[in-house]
Amino acid sequence: MKRLLLIFLCCTVGNLWAQDSDITNEIKKLSKAKWQWMADKDVDRLAELFHDKSKFVHMSGSWKKDRELEIIESGSIWYKNTIVHDVAVETFGDDTAILWNRITLEAHVRGNDVSNEFTATEFYKKEGDAWKLLDLTFSSVRDTHQIEH
């Protein structure tokens, strides 16, 4: 009986770890795609990804989904290239995830090319079969900043 219980517990923990790993990989892949969609100014894909109540926190202010999409489409902030140095993901159940990227963001902002070091924090919530971005926050950091895993 003890052996059967031990086998059951090992299988359950193994399945939970595999599920967590699958979600982690899915979120990492989605975040990477998001950076490319931002560079490409693909507001249609971003509109699907961004939750209707999503918020965006930048160095110059905070706003909601419609304003972020307008900024991207108009090019007032053009996320030209995002170099991802490190990624960490924490999952909470099978429907919530937080991702931290340490990035160098090369952008065109109000007529100027800029390069900044950030930790970008992304909150995701699964709705039905689709992950939705709830929040994207840019925190200015030094290039030596490290994300604790």
Side-chain angles (χ1 to χ4, degrees):
M1 184 67 163
K2 288 181 184 179
R3 212 178 270 175
L4 184 58
L5 181 59
L6 182 60
I7 291 170
F8 172 76
L9 287 174
C10 287
C11 289
T12 302
V13 170
N15 286 339
L16 290 174
W17 182 83
Q19 181 182 7
D20 185 52
S21 180
D22 290 345
I23 293 170
T24 296
N25 290 333
E26 187 176 359
I27 293 297
K28 285 179 180 181
K29 183 178 175 182
L30 185 58
S31 176
K32 183 179 179 180
K34 173 200 46 61
W35 292 122
Q36 188 59 54
W37 297 338
M38 292 171 88
D40 295 341
K41 301 178 188 177
D42 191 340
V43 292
D44 292 332
R45 281 192 165 155
L46 292 169
E48 288 179 29
L49 175 63
F50 297 166
H51 190 280
D52 287 341
K53 294 181 178 180
S54 58
K55 302 252 191 314
F56 301 85
V57 181
H58 292 263
M59 290 170 54
S60 61
S62 301
W63 43 80
K64 296 180 181 179
K65 175 183 179 174
D66 290 341
R67 179 72 179 124
E68 182 74 5
L69 292 171
E70 176 187 309
I71 286 167
I72 292 168
E73 187 171 39
S74 71
S76 66
I77 298 176
W78 176 22
Y79 301 88
K80 292 168 62 172
N81 187 39
T82 304
I83 302 164
V84 178
H85 304 287
D86 192 14
V87 180
V89 177
E90 291 287 336
T91 58
F92 303 87
D94 61 356
D95 67 346
T96 306
I98 303 174
L99 177 141
W100 295 270
N101 284 304
R102 198 182 71 68
I103 64 171
T104 301
L105 179 62
E106 298 169 350
H108 191 78
V109 181
R110 291 184 224 82
N112 297 305
D113 285 328
V114 296
S115 178
N116 288 296
E117 302 293 324
F118 292 108
T119 291
T121 305
E122 304 172 29
F123 286 82
Y124 290 91
K125 179 83 171 158
K126 194 161 196 179
E127 292 189 346
D129 292 333
W131 287 98
K132 297 290 184 176
L133 179 73
L134 299 173
D135 178 85
L136 173 58
T137 298
F138 292 90
S139 301
S140 183
V141 295
R142 293 187 176 103
D143 62 357
T144 57
H145 176 81
Q146 294 182 359
I147 298 171
E148 186 175 318
H149 289 262

